[in-house]
Amino acid sequence: GKRTGGVEGSGSGLKYLDLSNNVIDIQGAYLLASGLESNRKLETLVLDKNHLTQTGARAIQMAGVRDDHAIKISMCDCGISQKNGHHFDPVEPAGTYRMDLSMEYSWHVLKALVRVVRAGCGLFMPLP
């Protein structure tokens, strides 16, 4: 799909996907997470040796576990112990954001921020 990392939908019968060593960074992790949110067929995802960081890995993990379906995810050697404060963190979303909505990563961040506001856990404020 256009803004979903291409793994969405129930029409795909793909059950095992190995994306090891594909230089997937935090932005790619968010796109992949977006596609995983609606995928009900994938059973195993291997992301070893990518540059996901802690935040990207968390986004993928959150998208891969739902009440009706869980995906086994391998993320060995993905920089998970690293924390980069320059990227959106869905667990601690407070901050000021400048987004280029021509980039798919920015769309994912905006969607996550709207979920925070809808849940009553935050609000949008104009800059002074």
Side-chain angles (χ1 to χ4, degrees):
K2 175 98 172 134
R3 298 196 190 290
T4 60
V7 294
E8 76 286 348
S10 59
S12 171
L14 187 65
K15 292 184 178 190
Y16 180 90
L17 181 59
D18 187 342
L19 295 174
S20 297
N21 226 1
N22 270 289
V23 196
I24 299 171
D25 61 5
I26 189 169
Q27 292 184 14
Y30 273 100
L31 294 175
L32 186 57
S34 182
L36 290 174
E37 288 175 356
S38 61
N39 185 295
R40 300 291 186 262
K41 300 285 184 180
L42 191 64
E43 295 174 0
T44 304
L45 176 61
V46 181
L47 295 168
D48 300 345
K49 298 181 182 172
N50 283 292
H51 307 285
L52 304 176
T53 73
Q54 184 73 29
T55 304
R58 185 180 307 135
I60 290 170
Q61 289 169 331
M62 289 169 49
V65 177
R66 295 174 300 280
D67 291 337
D68 62 336
H69 182 74
I71 301 169
K72 295 175 196 157
I73 304 171
S74 175
M75 293 187 247
C76 297
D77 196 21
C78 287
I80 292 177
S81 62
Q82 299 172 13
K83 180 93 170 168
N84 186 339
H86 299 293
H87 293 287
F88 174 72
D89 184 344
V91 175
E92 298 178 26
T96 302
Y97 298 92
R98 292 183 188 270
M99 292 184 256
D100 177 356
L101 295 180
S102 68
M103 296 179 58
E104 292 184 39
Y105 171 74
S106 293
W107 277 102
H108 183 79
V109 170
L110 181 59
K111 185 171 126 180
L113 288 170
V114 168
R115 272 190 249 138
V116 168
V117 171
R118 285 186 177 162
C121 300
L123 57 107
F124 288 110
M125 296 178 58
L127 291 175

